Amino acid sequence: MSDNHRQKFRREILRQSFGAQQTAGQLLKRARMIMGVGIEFMARQFGVNPQIWQHYENDRAVIPDVLLLKIFTFGLDFWIERQIIPTPNQEQ
């Protein structure tokens, strides 16, 4: 089964089971884009390989429960504020 077919299949299951119009990966990608951060930054914040993070956003890999709990418990903004590398504004 190709990745494209799997993605469509997962989305159809979500629509039928939960009435959801977007997958968790699509929501993750949209939230990241709204906050204006890149894939590499988000992956580093959560200790994940950037390629794996991109697979999560594109529904090519299932997002682990532990990661979903971190996101839904604290929110993405909490994890973004916990920056590992200081931005130029923080160095002043």
Side-chain angles (χ1 to χ4, degrees):
M1 189 180 297
S2 69
D3 282 345
N4 193 25
H5 186 67
R6 286 183 191 155
Q7 291 172 341
K8 289 179 183 177
F9 186 66
R10 285 183 192 155
R11 288 181 184 133
E12 188 59 33
I13 290 172
L14 283 171
R15 283 188 198 104
Q16 290 177 359
S17 300
F18 305 106
Q21 297 301 315
Q22 294 183 340
T23 63
Q26 290 171 329
L27 291 172
L28 195 62
K29 183 176 185 175
R30 180 173 287 175
R32 178 186 57 78
M33 293 174 73
I34 288 171
M35 289 186 263
V37 295
I39 290 172
E40 294 82 13
F41 179 81
M42 288 301 294
R44 186 175 57 239
Q45 294 301 95
F46 286 95
V48 177
N49 183 315
Q51 290 178 336
I52 299 292
W53 188 270
Q54 191 169 21
H55 286 309
Y56 294 157
E57 288 186 357
N58 293 324
D59 297 319
R60 291 189 184 127
V62 177
I63 303 170
D65 294 339
V66 173
L67 182 61
L68 286 175
L69 283 172
K70 282 182 179 181
I71 293 168
F72 292 124
T73 302
F74 298 105
L76 282 177
D77 55 342
F78 171 82
W79 296 102
I80 288 176
E81 291 173 3
R82 297 172 45 100
Q83 294 183 11
I84 297 169
I85 300 172
T87 60
N89 294 339
Q90 290 177 330
E91 293 176 353
Q92 296 175 351

